[in-house]
Each structure stands twice: as C-alpha cells, then as structure tokens.
Amino acid sequence: MKWDKKESGNFEDRRGMSGGGKAVLGGGIIGIIVLLLNMFGGETGQTIGTIIEQTQGSQTQTETTQTRELSAEEKELGDFAESCFVYNTETWSTIFEENNMDFQEPHMVLFDDGVNTACGSATSAAGPFYCPSDKKIYMDLRFFEELKNRFGAKGGDFAIAYVIAHEMGHHLQTILGTSGKVRQLQAEKSEKEANKLSVCLELQADFYAGVWAHYNKNLLEAGDIEEALSAANAVGDDAIQSKMQGHVTPDSFTHGTSEQRMYWFKKGYTSGDIKQGDTFSALLD
C-alpha cells in the first residue's frame, strides 16, 4: 500500500508501556476465537460485543509507564497504522458530508498485551476491537503475526489497513445508531437469532471496509485487495471453527463465513455505495 505519514490528535500509541489491569474479553474481528474457546467449555454463545458492553464501568484505570523503547520497525508500523486511521477518518468525513450527515471522529489506541477501556479490560488475545462506550479502536499490532502464522492469512500491510477499516465500520454503526438497534433486538431474540444479527453487523463492517478501499484506490498496490480478502477468509467463523474444533456449527456463527466476509468486502469495494450495505435485509429475509 502506498502511504504518506499522517498524524492525528485522536491517535495514541501505548506500546512499550506497563499498566492495564485484569483482563476480560474484548470484541473485534478475531475476538471470536476467545468466544469459541469458551463455547467449547459449555459457555453460552453471547456475542463479543455484548460481553464487552456488559463489562462497562467494571474496571478501573491504572497508570501507564514507559518500560521499553520501540524498535524502528515497530515505530514504522505504528506510523502506518496511524496513517491508515487518518485515511479512514478523512474518507468517511467526506462521505458523510456528501450525504448531509455529521461524522464524529473516533479515537485509536495501540497497545501491548492488555488495555483498559470504557467497555472493560481486554488482552491481545481478543484481537483488534472497537469499544462503543468510548468510541475508540483498540489494536495490538502483533495480532497480525498470529493471523498469518496460525490462521493462514497472507499478511502484508493492507491486511492491517483492512482490519482498521473494519473496526472503523463498527464506529460508523455506532454513530448511525445501527449497533444500538441491533442490541435491542438481540435482547428479544433467541441465541440463534441473536447470533444472526451479530453476523449482519460484522458483514456490514466488512462492507464499509470495502467502501473505504474503493475511495482510496490511489493508495493500492498490486496484491493489496488479495491481502484483504485473505485476512477476511482467515477470520470466517467456518474457517476458525474448523481449525479450532475440527467441525463447524453454523448456529453459533457471530461473524459470518469466509465466503460471506469476502463477498461483502468485495461488494463495498466494487460499488463504493454505502446504500448497498444492508446486510440485514440480505441475510434475514
């Protein structure tokens, strides 16, 4: 991916710092792994988003102190993540303005190992996630090595860009009111039906990531879209369940299959039209 260093006052790099408190579950693109492990042990199939919201206000903040210097490679990766974040905020600010809507810029935090949020505390094992209570995207960049080495994604810088764009999609759902409506509906549904609604949310976030890529084609290099699709394929519920437990249980899906995730990302990328991202009508009718 082509990129120039961009800076944001809403970006915070906490890597190399200590502090963080006791970890609970986080929610995000790969947080399903933690959820699946719990399900194997007989836990209920709540969505990660629901779990992290239920922890809101239950954790206290702890002071952070610098414990190590970041390497040159880590600093460059952080600069890339911050630049992707800025590219996202610039793109969505423009799209919202074109549609006579107000865009509220989120924040983004990079961390090592664990982090405190307004939704509770989370470890790196939860993967990148978005907390609706403080409107922040949280990410441990070492996650991408796990995605590549354990789950077979191609890797590459655009895989990082895709994940950031996906989490930005969850921010869009929050400020547009989509997430709140879904949570209300889930409270009235069975576990199976609530899971379907979670799948719709996740696939719509993939769609929004594709829309962002559509508006930033000038930044793309050969193989970038393939890197995004490879990441989307690797984090499909069916792919993860097959690797983790040897078989799939569709009723427990909360993020969508590999095929669905790639389809909706590609639809967003091809169309560039936010009005075509109604995953709810497409999947629930």
Side-chain angles (χ1 to χ4, degrees), residues 45 185-197 251:
L185 287 172
Q186 285 179 316
E188 304 168 358
K189 301 290 185 180
S190 65
E191 180 182 313
K192 178 180 176 180
E193 295 302 314
N195 286 343
K196 287 183 179 180
L197 288 168
D251 287 349

Side-chain angles (χ1 to χ4, degrees), residues 204-219:
Q204 188 178 66
D206 283 330
F207 172 83
Y208 287 144
V211 170
W212 172 79
H214 173 91
Y215 276 81
N216 289 272
K217 289 181 179 178
N218 60 305
L219 302 177

Side-chain angles (χ1 to χ4, degrees), residues 5 13 18 75 87 220 229 250 255 285:
K5 190 177 186 304
D13 193 344
S18 64
K75 290 178 180 178
Y87 286 132
L220 302 184
L229 291 173
H255 284 58
D285 283 352

